[in-house]
Amino acid sequence: MSSPDVATRPSPESDPSDPSDPTVDVEQAEAALVEHYPRLVRLGYLVLPPSLGRNRRVLTAHSLTQRALPRGRVTGEGVTVPGQGGGPQGPGGDPGYAYVRLRVLRGALRAGLPPRRIAWPRRAQLPPLLPQVWGLSLFPRSGGADELALDQQLSTLSGPARAAFVLRGLERLPDTEVHRLLDAAGVVDPHAALDEADDIEAPYALLRSPEFDPCSLQARPTDLMRRRQHTKAALAATAAVLVCGALLGLPGDGWGPDGAAAPPYAKNPAAEAALDPAKLTTAPNAAWQDSSRTDFSVWPARGSLTDDKELLRRALAVWARPGESVQVSATPGTPSGAPPGPAQLLYAGEVDQARVVLLYDGLRIVRYAEPRGGKGGVALDFARVDGADKAGSGAVVAGRQNGNVRYLTAPWVRGTAVRDLLTPDAGPKTLKRAADGVTDPLASPVREGECRTVNTLELRDATATRLLADLGELTPAQLTWGRPESPRDVSTAKARASWSGTACLLPAVGSGGVRTVNSWPYSYQRLPEANGTATWKCTRAETWRGTGSRTLAQFHPPGSESGAIAAKAENSPACGARSARVLAGVLWKSTGGSWYVLAAGSKDVTSVTATGGAKGSARGNVLAVPAEEGARAELTGRLADGTEVKGLR
């Protein structure tokens, strides 16, 4: 396998004229760097070649991160952010974070290039000027055998392959986004980097262990004799630096680089209003009954702690300035910055062992949770909910504990129940709610291991019954079924029976800011050799941000409880409201031992052709072609007007 390389072609940064590229102010990039500094340094440390040694890797990672800001600081001018293809840009989809992350990644890749590859060493290839530590050798805390094995495996990879593995595991990016980011960083062959990264079999969770945390360090002395010899020289150099720093810091005449702007974090009326608990807005208790809108804006403030000003003040302060100990999470495409003005209070009360505050600013739901005893970690969660309707604002996660989840339900919800999607014929189990709208705990379907139950939340109001599924995010996803252009609520026995074979695949479409998940039985196929009739389904997850959809085509042979994934795609129009068509295929073995390539398209497909490892064609929307074990075929369909439909892959 050929090793990918970097920095042999112009960087995407050199073309700031692309109008599709977002721009970010220097202050925005600086705020992202400060907020996510430990994460960025860890990224640089992991991508840097282990041959540098742990001490130099630590210092170089900090140096690369601190130098990730652009050199220019000109008021009113933006800095071009290399395009990320519309995919996840980092925590909360912050373009500032995407910019500095790319700069750190590019610097770490350049630092791994051998000096002979370029005419003059780049700055990243030289020992860092700053930060410097005298008399000590710094390195992260030692991990276990698994971390050591992973470090050894990473040392065998090329720099781009290490970057691909780290972006997958640490940044949790799909391969399409990793490919775009590597390309933006100057990698010549991102495909080769991704293929090489596949050789690492260690779990991604190890990347977040203390073994690879260059911000939590141990110190040991360097060569003590040599340090004594250079003490006087070090003192003289330090004095010179201090004198120069003092001279440079003296005030001069005229405007500074930021003009008349206030210093960072200076007080201003808008910022103070956003942090004042007395300025929080609330909706009247009966507003949802008369308002033309039925969404989070008409939720009243509920909970036993809505008058606890100190709790609300802490929640607003942490929202604006989360400290290093705060666990911050945000769905893709959700900004994680401070509130633009006074937010709306939805809930403040005790949930299990935590005090919880739920806030809404018109774009996001924000959940603040602190331990009831006052000691322990604080959590801050963000979820984008702009454009929510009645179905999308039926419930919000109030708390999680021991694999269970509690919801705060909308004021118009009349009844709650639990439905197990794997037992569609069973009746609903009553789920009690407190007077403030918080439900009893129910087991979350997002669990590792065998798929034995898939519990969903059933909400009943005056006009509809809906099913919501917890996919590990702040807002549950609404489940629907039927044709993509006119999906329906999962409220009938037929709809629940259709979902029962797809339920175990829900985790495969989660963790992307999912708003709805639709299951569509798009075709039925009689199998060769009288093996019965198979069902083809398409499951599509739509997101709150619009992009990042995930599509799964499944093949359900007769007698199987759950289907097999035949194809999957991201950001594909297939099975969506704008392109309610799909074509997918599988290699299937009959009960008699023969192999076939099976394919099925939606009803508007009038012919299907297979080429490659199996050849054949058929009129209509289904195809069955004899094949050899392991055969791979390319599928093409045609519509009545001759339009070509490619097989989903």
Side-chain angles (χ1 to χ4, degrees):
M1 180 181 299
S2 62
S3 297
D5 209 345
V6 296
T8 60
R9 59 175 174 78
S11 166
E13 242 187 338
S14 63
D15 183 17
S17 62
D18 185 358
S20 65
D21 283 343
T23 57
V24 59
D25 294 331
V26 175
E27 279 71 24
Q28 187 177 1
E30 182 181 19
L33 188 148
V34 172
E35 180 178 359
H36 303 291
Y37 184 85
R39 181 172 183 161
L40 292 165
V41 176
R42 186 188 290 259
L43 172 67
Y45 179 83
L46 286 164
V47 176
L48 285 168
S51 59
L52 294 178
R54 291 195 294 175
N55 181 69
R56 182 169 169 183
R57 283 172 71 193
V58 167
L59 297 179
T60 303
H62 283 274
S63 177
L64 291 173
T65 305
Q66 294 172 15
R67 290 192 287 109
L69 289 177
R71 295 179 181 178
R73 295 177 58 87
V74 182
T75 303
E77 294 185 2
V79 180
T80 300
V81 182
Q84 300 293 320
Q89 292 175 306
D94 180 11
Y97 176 83
Y99 180 85
V100 294
R101 177 179 64 188
L102 180 59
R103 299 262 297 191
V104 171
L105 179 64
R106 183 180 293 124
L109 289 171
R110 288 175 176 172
L113 288 176
R116 66 179 181 275
R117 296 291 300 276
I118 50 180
W120 186 260
R122 293 182 179 271
R123 184 176 178 183
Q125 295 179 283
L126 302 174
L129 299 176
L130 289 174
Q132 282 286 352
V133 178
W134 293 82
L136 289 175
S137 178
L138 302 179
F139 49 90
R141 298 180 180 274
S142 299
D146 293 338
E147 287 83 356
L148 178 61
L150 175 58
D151 195 43
Q152 292 174 344
Q153 292 181 67
L154 290 175
S155 66
T156 64
L157 299 180
S158 64
R162 270 196 311 275
F165 184 85
V166 172
L167 291 172
R168 282 172 172 172
L170 189 64
E171 295 296 285
R172 299 177 180 177
L173 296 178
D175 283 1
T176 53
E177 300 304 326
V178 174
H179 184 284
R180 292 190 182 101
L181 196 53
L182 291 177
D183 184 72
V187 174
V188 173
D189 193 350
H191 282 296
L194 288 165
D195 290 341
E196 187 181 353
D198 289 337
D199 296 337
I200 303 296
E201 299 179 353
Y204 291 131
L206 292 178
L207 296 176
R208 292 180 283 277
S209 70
E211 170 78 12
F212 306 112
D213 183 7
C215 292
S216 179
L217 302 170
Q218 291 181 318
R220 293 292 186 272
T222 56
D223 189 333
L224 297 178
M225 295 300 297
R226 181 178 298 177
R227 190 174 70 186
R228 286 182 179 179
Q229 296 172 2
H230 294 283
T231 298
K232 292 183 180 180
L235 290 175
T238 302
V241 170
L242 292 175
V243 171
C244 293
L247 292 174
L248 291 174
L250 292 176
D253 297 330
W255 291 106
D258 294 331
Y265 306 107
K267 292 184 177 181
N268 64 76
E272 289 183 335
L275 298 178
D276 186 356
K279 300 286 181 65
L280 286 172
T281 64
T282 58
N285 290 336
W288 62 272
Q289 299 176 2
D290 306 320
S291 174
S292 60
R293 298 177 56 176
T294 310
D295 56 18
F296 293 108
S297 66
V298 294
W299 277 34
R302 289 171 288 174
S304 59
L305 301 178
T306 54
D307 294 327
D308 189 337
K309 300 302 182 184
E310 294 303 318
L311 170 64
L312 300 179
R313 187 181 304 278
R314 290 193 298 272
L316 293 171
V318 171
W319 181 359
R321 302 182 307 277
E324 294 182 357
S325 63
V326 179
Q327 298 180 1
V328 181
S329 71
T331 56
T334 305
S336 57
Q344 179 182 344
L345 177 63
L346 304 182
Y347 179 84
E350 294 184 347
V351 180
D352 294 323
Q353 301 302 315
R355 286 190 290 265
V356 174
V357 178
L358 288 170
L359 301 163
Y360 172 64
D361 67 354
L363 171 68
R364 304 165 291 178
I365 292 289
V366 182
R367 177 182 178 271
Y368 168 85
E370 65 178 28
R372 191 187 299 184
K375 295 182 179 180
V378 171
L380 188 66
D381 304 316
F382 296 85
R384 182 171 174 173
V385 293
D386 52 317
D389 53 11
K390 187 176 184 179
S393 57
V396 172
V397 171
R400 299 181 188 275
Q401 187 177 39
N402 301 326
N404 297 321
V405 59
R406 291 180 186 265
Y407 295 97
L408 175 67
T409 56
W412 54 81
V413 171
R414 295 185 175 183
T416 55
V418 179
R419 285 274 190 184
D420 183 0
L421 290 179
L422 298 185
T423 56
D425 297 330
K429 297 179 181 178
T430 301
L431 183 66
K432 296 181 179 179
R433 287 187 300 166
D436 58 7
V438 176
T439 68
D440 284 354
L442 69 152
S444 172
V446 185
R447 292 187 174 188
E448 297 182 358
E450 297 182 3
C451 182
R452 297 180 179 177
T453 60
V454 181
N455 289 327
T456 57
L457 175 67
E458 183 177 82
L459 300 182
R460 299 185 303 276
D461 57 40
T463 59
T465 299
R466 300 182 177 90
L467 281 190
L468 305 179
D470 174 33
L471 299 184
E473 299 175 329
L474 190 55
T475 54
Q478 181 193 3
L479 303 185
T480 59
W481 84 293
R483 290 192 60 85
E485 64 269 32
S486 56
R488 291 164 284 173
D489 292 320
V490 184
S491 57
T492 64
K494 184 178 180 180
R496 291 189 291 270
S498 177
W499 256 104
S500 63
T502 308
C504 292
L505 301 179
L506 274 173
V509 298
S511 302
V514 177
R515 180 174 186 170
T516 61
V517 185
N518 185 62
S519 179
W520 173 32
Y522 69 87
S523 185
Y524 299 91
Q525 182 178 21
R526 290 185 178 180
L527 300 177
E529 303 179 15
N531 275 229
T533 301
T535 302
W536 291 83
K537 295 181 181 179
C538 194
T539 301
R540 180 180 175 91
E542 300 284 2
T543 67
W544 285 96
R545 65 188 184 279
T547 59
S549 64
R550 295 181 181 179
T551 304
L552 303 177
Q554 304 122 54
F555 173 71
H556 295 255
S560 78
E561 295 182 357
S562 60
I565 296 179
K568 56 184 177 180
E570 293 189 13
N571 291 310
S572 168
C575 301
R578 294 190 176 185
S579 180
R581 61 177 66 103
V582 64
L583 173 64
V586 294
L587 183 64
W588 171 79
K589 184 179 181 181
S590 70
T591 55
S594 300
W595 289 91
Y596 294 86
V597 167
L598 304 179
S602 47
K603 291 182 179 180
D604 51 357
V605 175
T606 58
S607 67
V608 181
T609 302
T611 57
K615 296 180 175 62
S617 62
R619 291 189 175 183
N621 65 331
V622 295
L623 171 72
V625 179
E628 299 293 332
E629 181 179 359
R632 287 179 170 269
E634 296 289 334
L635 299 176
T636 304
R638 295 281 179 181
L639 304 182
D641 61 0
T643 302
E644 184 177 273
V645 179
K646 286 292 187 181
L648 194 67
R649 304 191 60 155

